[in-house]
Amino acid sequence: MFKNLFSFKNTIQNLYKPGSYDLEPYQRLLADIDKIQLSTLRNEGLKNMSAGLKRQVQEGVSPDQLLPEAFALVREVAHRVTGMRPFDVQMIAGIAMHQGKIAEMQTGAIGKTLNKIQSIGKSI
């Protein structure tokens, strides 16, 4: 019986190899996000940017095309509200989830705080 369990475990481990994913597309998107500097904008400017992104989606622009600007906006707002800047790995996980993929990661204090903010934002 144990031999079968070990064989099953090895099969599963061979199918799921953490770190074997192609992260290059995510890293390119992250680089595009990082190029967008929003720290000089006032809060009103961030609100206008958010409204502009929403308007573009309503006019038929694909959310995928707006992803760098939207994620840069989210990162800046999270930093202003919490004083904590989302880590690159959190941004990559967000991109993966936007693409309909499953992203699993351990959350520390910043992850839990940002998840609470996201939940509050959805209820407003």
Side-chain angles (χ1 to χ4, degrees):
M1 178 172 172
F2 289 114
K3 183 178 180 181
N4 290 339
L5 287 176
F6 287 120
S7 175
F8 179 71
K9 178 184 171 192
N10 289 337
T11 302
I12 296 298
Q13 286 176 337
N14 288 334
L15 290 174
Y16 174 74
K17 294 182 180 179
S20 65
Y21 303 104
D22 181 18
L23 297 178
E24 181 62 30
Y26 298 102
Q27 291 167 335
R28 282 194 306 265
L29 279 168
L30 188 60
D32 291 342
I33 293 165
D34 287 340
K35 289 177 190 172
I36 301 169
Q37 296 297 318
L38 302 177
S39 60
T40 58
L41 287 180
R42 295 176 180 248
N43 289 348
E44 192 62 36
L46 296 178
K47 288 179 185 178
N48 291 338
M49 183 177 178
S50 176
L53 291 170
K54 194 179 291 187
R55 186 173 43 256
Q56 288 181 62
V57 169
Q58 291 169 344
E59 292 170 355
V61 177
S62 167
D64 292 332
Q65 292 176 302
L66 302 173
L67 188 141
E69 293 86 0
F71 274 64
L73 178 62
V74 167
R75 183 177 252 180
E76 180 62 27
V77 170
H79 182 260
R80 290 186 189 190
V81 171
T82 67
M84 297 180 280
R85 183 178 187 271
F87 293 110
D88 288 350
V89 69
Q90 291 170 312
M91 299 297 285
I92 290 171
I95 294 167
M97 289 187 288
H98 166 76
Q99 295 173 343
K101 298 177 180 157
I102 295 172
E104 181 181 5
M105 56 191 308
Q106 294 178 347
T107 57
I110 189 170
K112 292 174 187 165
T113 301
L114 292 173
N115 285 336
K116 286 180 187 176
I117 290 170
Q118 181 182 12
S119 297
I120 292 169
K122 287 181 180 177
S123 66
I124 294 176

